[in-house]
Amino acid sequence: MTGTTAFGERLLSLLKQRKIKQLKVAEALGVSRTAVNKWTKGGMIDDGNLERLAAFLEVDKIWLKYGEYASGTPDAQPSAARNINEVHLHDSADIVTWEWDLLTGKVHYSDNVESVYGVRLSSNDEFWDMMSEQAREKLVNGYSRIIREGGAHEMDFKIDRNGSHRWITSRATGVKGPNGKVTKLVGISLDNTERKSTELRLRKMKIYFDMLLKHLPHLVVFTDSAGEILLDNHESRSEKMDYLELQRLLYQLVLNNHEWLEQLSASGYGELVFQGRRITAYHHIDDERQPFLMFELR
């Protein structure tokens, strides 16, 4: 399975290779079988479930989700170091690259660190001071695991600056020195505040949304402003369209109807016929100015 293989295809292939039923995965992780089935179709998986799923399958969670990292074996370490900057995140310039030399204690950040973190950093002490003890402990444990086990790991953490906070997603891997041990950590970080805030709010609202979606007569999907599916009732509807086709349709809808979306944003409501579907849409902005789109497809 190559790095270009999608998460859902990679997961489904692993389950088939190991002859593991989706129900067994669901029971092991304490989730519904429907949730596991969604993951095999490329559905969104949160960090906690991703970590438990990777542990259950005994694979690296970054490889499982992104397919970009080597296993951490001595022969694979150079590949992991090269690929740390090739992860398919966003087409964004706001990605910080960093290196931490464990032997000297020196850390180097790319020049755009201030635009992403909100502060100019030149040492780890300045970095640690921006986060809570819990976040600091989480990062230290993650970095320690890289040193002990190799491979690569992804972590989300919150930093605070002048009364406001940002969520940072950081992906790191280890590089071995002349002594054959991991003596340097290299990684990439990006501001993931909007996505993380959306995820946390939706998690709190999930019970309500699940109940609402289950009883709606038509296919209904909640997405972010780019059209990525956040919640839906696809599994409970008798739909000929599979999950990936639905996601593709929504991406195309958002990309090809800018003027309509601007009107939707202004009025909060709109209707459109797109690819043979009559679509009713609602635009909502919550208290933190984060936009959500709700699409009803018939």
Side-chain angles (χ1 to χ4, degrees):
M1 289 174 285
T2 67
T4 58
T5 309
F7 160 65
E9 296 171 353
R10 199 158 36 253
L11 173 58
L12 190 60
S13 180
L14 273 175
L15 297 182
K16 288 181 178 178
Q17 285 178 5
R18 302 183 183 184
K19 298 181 180 180
I20 300 174
K21 294 186 178 298
Q22 293 182 20
L23 181 59
K24 183 176 180 181
V25 178
E27 291 173 347
L29 273 62
V31 299
S32 68
R33 185 187 177 282
T34 299
V36 178
N37 185 257
K38 275 189 179 182
W39 298 339
T40 64
K41 296 177 180 178
M44 186 174 68
I45 181 171
D46 62 38
D47 294 338
N49 282 327
L50 176 64
E51 187 161 354
R52 287 189 287 273
L53 178 62
F56 175 75
L57 295 173
E58 298 181 337
V59 296
D60 182 85
K61 70 175 184 178
I62 303 303
W63 172 86
L64 179 60
K65 189 170 183 181
Y66 299 100
E68 290 291 333
Y69 295 104
S71 62
T73 61
D75 292 340
Q77 283 293 333
S79 175
R82 285 195 303 272
N83 287 342
I84 194 71
N85 291 318
E86 298 173 6
V87 184
H88 301 303
L89 295 166
H90 305 288
D91 292 331
S92 169
D94 292 331
I95 298 176
V96 171
T97 60
W98 54 268
E99 294 185 5
W100 179 12
D101 190 321
L102 302 176
L103 296 178
T104 65
K106 292 182 178 180
V107 60
H108 173 74
Y109 293 92
S110 56
D111 292 338
N112 62 337
V113 63
E114 187 170 1
S115 67
V116 177
Y117 280 33
V119 63
R120 188 75 182 173
L121 295 175
S122 58
S123 71
N124 268 335
D125 288 338
E126 294 173 344
F127 177 57
W128 299 128
D129 285 345
M130 290 193 300
M131 64 189 70
S132 66
E133 183 177 347
Q134 182 180 11
R136 188 160 52 245
E137 182 179 351
K138 178 181 179 181
L139 278 173
V140 169
N141 289 339
Y143 293 154
S144 299
R145 190 184 309 167
I146 293 174
I147 294 171
R148 291 194 310 268
E149 303 172 8
H153 297 281
E154 175 183 334
M155 289 155 279
D156 290 336
F157 58 92
K158 186 168 69 172
I159 59 174
D160 295 288
R161 180 70 175 171
N162 298 327
S164 63
H165 72 267
R166 300 186 187 192
W167 279 99
I168 302 296
T169 295
S170 181
R171 294 167 189 164
T173 190
V175 178
K176 290 186 176 181
N179 59 359
K181 305 296 182 181
V182 173
T183 59
K184 181 184 289 186
L185 296 175
V186 298
I188 53 177
S189 301
L190 73 155
D191 187 331
N192 205 19
T193 303
E194 181 177 345
R195 179 68 182 171
K196 189 69 176 181
S197 298
T198 299
E199 178 185 311
L200 292 174
R201 285 194 301 279
L202 285 175
R203 191 178 298 169
K204 294 177 182 178
M205 300 167 67
K206 189 175 186 306
I207 295 177
Y208 168 77
F209 276 131
D210 283 347
M211 184 179 300
L212 173 66
L213 289 168
K214 188 179 296 183
H215 291 89
L216 289 174
H218 304 291
L219 174 61
V220 175
V221 184
F222 288 90
T223 79
D224 62 13
S225 57
E228 181 177 348
I229 296 173
L230 302 173
L231 288 170
D232 66 272
N233 64 350
H234 178 267
E235 290 294 331
S236 61
R237 306 268 74 81
S238 299
E239 284 291 327
K240 295 180 181 179
M241 179 187 304
D242 65 28
Y243 184 88
L244 294 180
E245 288 176 322
L246 174 61
Q247 180 62 88
R248 184 165 56 248
L249 181 146
L250 292 170
Y251 280 152
Q252 291 173 348
L253 173 66
V254 170
L255 286 171
N256 296 318
N257 294 278
H258 293 293
E259 186 175 340
W260 179 73
L261 286 168
E262 288 177 2
Q263 295 173 356
L264 174 63
S265 176
S267 66
Y269 173 84
E271 292 186 350
L272 181 74
V273 175
F274 184 74
Q275 294 188 8
R277 291 268 188 169
R278 184 158 63 89
I279 298 175
T280 304
Y282 302 87
H283 183 275
H284 171 70
I285 299 179
D286 68 11
D287 293 338
E288 297 189 36
R289 308 302 297 169
Q290 297 293 335
F292 295 90
L293 297 173
M294 174 180 165
F295 295 107
E296 183 178 359
L297 297 88
R298 304 188 187 188

